[in-house]
Amino acid sequence: MPRSLLVLSALSLALAGALVACAPGSSGAGKNTAAAAAPSAPLAKADVDSEQAKISYVVGRDFARSVEPIRAELDTELVLRAIRDAQAGRPSLFDDSETKRIRDGFSAHLRDKHDQEVKALAARNLAAGEAFLAKNAKAEGVKTTASGLQYKVDREGKGAHPKASDTVRVNYVGTLIDGSKFESTYDTDHPAEFVLAQVMPGWTEGVQLMTPGAKYRFWMPPKLAYGERGLAGQIEPNAVLAFEVELLEIAGQGAPTHDE
């Protein structure tokens, strides 16, 4: 679920907390009331010298962060006026059913907007990925399989090739096509271990080309990686992924030796 939708569920709590910061005279100090009357004037530390003023400031900043994903959708001054109306005990302009209709409509709007943004991003990534793979396929030493997986041998190993049902131990670095790293076993204190059939198709196919001790580079088109969905917070939709993989061991066969 996009973060902007999660904001809606937390909005009531954030607004309730923000009432402390927006209450007329809530700080008990005239200078804080003056600051509230002039919202365009930046606050100084001298304006928040009591514990109540400090928590009011923190709640206000937290509230601002909570609505940042939907800030462009809001009239900030109207939000503040609604807070003051509620705090003053004035009745809502909308009854419960109308409020629900408005809130549900806004949620649907955010979902549609998010879906359109994801589709546009996926289309851009697909085009960029196809261009990258077309160029990369012509690079020296790069081979392309029938599925579209690209690979290059940095070092060959010895022994048997793993099967999809085998458990393997590997070290690897994962990057995007712009070179930015998103994952690496070298940043942890141990290699990764998994059943080949239980990981992304590009890994299942690619590691079976290797033998223990080998080190390969792989470039995986979206259909062999995370596809149109991507991986929330880490991998964008239709992203091409690149991996440097070192096959250390096939479970039950022991660690290999290899020629450097």
Side-chain angles (χ1 to χ4, degrees):
M1 179 181 291
R3 185 172 180 268
S4 56
L5 295 183
L6 292 177
V7 168
L8 287 175
S9 62
L11 194 53
S12 296
L13 287 176
L15 283 168
L19 296 181
V20 179
C22 296
S26 63
S27 67
K31 61 187 175 184
N32 291 316
T33 303
S40 60
L43 285 167
K45 267 202 168 182
D47 298 317
V48 287
D49 55 356
S50 70
E51 285 306 306
Q52 186 181 41
K54 289 174 183 176
I55 191 58
S56 297
Y57 181 80
V58 168
V59 168
R61 299 287 297 200
D62 287 346
F63 170 64
R65 276 195 298 272
S66 74
V67 298
E68 180 61 28
I70 58 171
R71 183 164 63 101
E73 307 279 348
L74 302 175
D75 181 328
T76 304
E77 288 306 310
L78 197 52
V79 169
L80 295 175
R81 288 179 65 184
I83 292 173
R84 294 186 184 111
D85 274 4
Q87 192 175 23
R90 301 185 184 105
S92 173
L93 299 177
F94 310 108
D95 61 23
D96 289 348
S97 62
E98 182 70 356
T99 297
K100 183 179 185 303
R101 184 196 66 77
I102 293 169
R103 187 180 290 116
D104 290 348
F106 185 53
S107 294
H109 163 70
L110 290 179
R111 282 194 297 271
D112 290 343
K113 183 179 179 181
H114 176 262
D115 289 347
Q116 291 304 314
E117 290 172 347
V118 169
K119 287 179 182 177
L121 179 59
R124 291 196 299 271
N125 285 343
L126 185 62
E130 288 175 347
F132 171 85
L133 291 171
K135 181 179 180 180
N136 194 59
K138 300 174 183 177
E140 183 179 357
V142 174
K143 299 178 182 179
T144 305
T145 70
S147 71
L149 176 70
Q150 295 182 355
Y151 70 97
K152 182 177 181 180
V153 178
D154 286 342
R155 182 181 68 223
E156 287 289 15
K158 294 181 179 179
H161 295 271
K163 303 182 295 294
S165 57
D166 283 335
T167 296
V168 296
R169 248 176 99 245
V170 297
N171 270 322
Y172 68 90
V173 179
T175 59
L176 304 176
I177 58 176
D178 64 3
S180 57
K181 180 175 68 175
F182 61 86
E183 194 171 19
S184 173
T185 58
Y186 298 104
D187 294 336
T188 68
D189 59 356
H190 57 81
E193 187 171 308
F194 48 77
V195 178
L196 273 182
Q198 296 177 359
V199 292
M200 68 178 67
W203 271 84
T204 304
E205 178 185 356
V207 177
Q208 288 186 84
L209 300 173
M210 305 173 73
T211 54
K215 187 175 183 180
Y216 281 25
R217 275 181 272 180
F218 296 104
W219 295 270
M220 302 178 187
K223 65 181 181 180
L224 300 180
Y226 289 107
E228 293 182 354
R229 295 178 63 88
L231 185 62
Q234 285 186 282
I235 306 298
E236 292 183 349
N238 278 341
V240 170
L241 303 185
F243 290 95
E244 293 183 11
V245 181
E246 185 179 13
L247 177 56
L248 302 176
E249 183 180 359
I250 303 171
Q253 296 187 13
T257 59
H258 56 75
D259 299 324
E260 295 290 348

